[in-house]
Amino acid sequence: MADHVADHAGLGPLPPLFDTPQHWRPAALDADNPHVARVYDFLLGGKDHFRADRTAAELLLRANPYLRDTCREQRDFLRRAVRHLAAEGVKQFVDVGTGLPATPTTHQIARAVEPAARVAYVDNDAIVLAHARVLLTDGGPGTAFVEGDLREPEALLREPALTGLIDFTQPVAMVVTGLLHFLLDHEQPAKHLRTLMDACAPGSCLVLTHGATDLAVELARATSAAFRQVSIPCQARGREEVLELLGELEPVEPGLVPMAAWRAERNPTKTVRERQIAYGVVARKG
């Protein structure tokens, strides 16, 4: 018992699982317009989506028939990145814009390596919030779901559900996958990322994927245009623009690379390489 306490010194007692704030009410649910989290759920073979989401996904697949593969590669990148950080000693993860739960979840991945890992899931969509509160109960008291928005980082960092679970004086992994290419420049994604990472202790990391303009250029262009056609704003960015989002964070090996190539268990095939439309990176705060 003493060894257990020493190993996790600095992390306080855990709050109750999904302690719903007093007077909490879910946001209004919009089933008539596609939402990217539900579109991704459909593409990954999930069941939590509406007709508008399915219609949007079918149009996206006509523009990019390999988009399901891209979604799976993003989940694989998340698995490799979280496992790597947990093995490096990171015990806290904040999954921002998590979307609907997909298997394996971030807490399942982290705890396969570090059983004491704490994971906070953040999203701003009503159906995601409702489903996560039901589907993530296997996470136990070290898991929380937080209603919040990357575009309002100061408010997110004040959320009791987040600060009650995550100790920002200890290293944290901020996981932001499949999100930033849906924020346009005027929404200042770099500024919001910097605010989040400024709140984190040295040794914290950012886990990031981002749609690219300079990988599989024609396919990437068609995909971005299709998102815009279904009224989902999309702004893919080139390599230098993605690096600028990292600010002073230092990419860990192998740096910013096509998503499927980041610490891959086996070398991606030529076909996979030719269809890459997103970058992946893990970057550390000094």
Side-chain angles (χ1 to χ4, degrees), residues 56 63 91 99 120 122 133 167 177 182 191 235 240 242 273 284:
K91 297 182 176 69
V122 178
R133 288 179 180 271
D167 179 359
T177 56
F182 298 116
K191 176 184 176 183
Q235 184 174 347
E240 293 305 315
V242 178
R273 293 197 303 271
R284 189 178 305 276

Side-chain angles (χ1 to χ4, degrees), residues 168-191:
F168 285 94
T169 69
Q170 302 290 322
V172 177
M174 285 284 176
V175 179
V176 186
T177 56
L179 176 62
L180 287 192
H181 41 261
F182 298 116
L183 296 188
L184 307 183
D185 282 345
H186 72 84
E187 296 178 278
Q188 300 181 292
K191 176 184 176 183

Side-chain angles (χ1 to χ4, degrees), residues 89-174:
V90 177
K91 297 182 176 69
Q92 303 186 106
F93 297 81
V94 180
D95 193 340
V96 182
T98 181
L100 287 154
T103 303
T105 62
T106 302
H107 68 265
Q108 289 170 340
I109 298 166
R111 290 179 191 158
V113 179
E114 173 47 72
R118 300 181 180 188
V119 180
Y121 296 94
V122 178
D123 211 290
N124 65 351
D125 181 69
I127 193 171
V128 175
L129 181 65
H131 280 258
R133 288 179 180 271
V134 173
L135 297 176
L136 298 182
T137 54
D138 71 304
T143 311
F145 195 92
V146 183
E147 187 173 11
D149 196 316
L150 177 70
R151 293 167 296 188
E152 299 176 346
E154 295 89 353
L156 173 59
L157 291 166
R158 292 193 300 267
E159 275 292 329
L162 180 65
T163 58
L165 180 72
I166 301 298
D167 179 359
F168 285 94
T169 69
Q170 302 290 322
V172 177
M174 285 284 176

Side-chain angles (χ1 to χ4, degrees), residues 63-64 212-225 274 276-277:
N64 180 353
T213 58
D214 46 6
L215 299 173
V217 174
E218 293 303 320
L219 195 60
R221 184 178 296 127
T223 305
S224 294
E274 290 175 346
Q276 290 295 288
I277 60 169

Side-chain angles (χ1 to χ4, degrees), residues 41-42 45-49 54 131 135:
D41 179 72
F42 175 79
K47 57 182 176 57
D48 299 302
H49 40 73
R54 296 189 289 274
H131 280 258
L135 297 176

Side-chain angles (χ1 to χ4, degrees), residues 74-93 104-115 117 119 173 175 207 252 262-263 265 282 284:
Q74 182 167 272
R75 295 301 303 178
D76 286 342
F77 166 83
L78 173 69
R79 176 179 54 81
R80 297 193 302 273
V82 169
R83 285 184 61 87
H84 168 72
L85 291 176
E88 291 288 307
V90 177
K91 297 182 176 69
Q92 303 186 106
F93 297 81
T105 62
T106 302
H107 68 265
Q108 289 170 340
I109 298 166
R111 290 179 191 158
V113 179
E114 173 47 72
V119 180
V175 179
V207 177
V252 304
W262 195 90
R263 295 182 182 252
E265 285 90 357
V282 175
R284 189 178 305 276

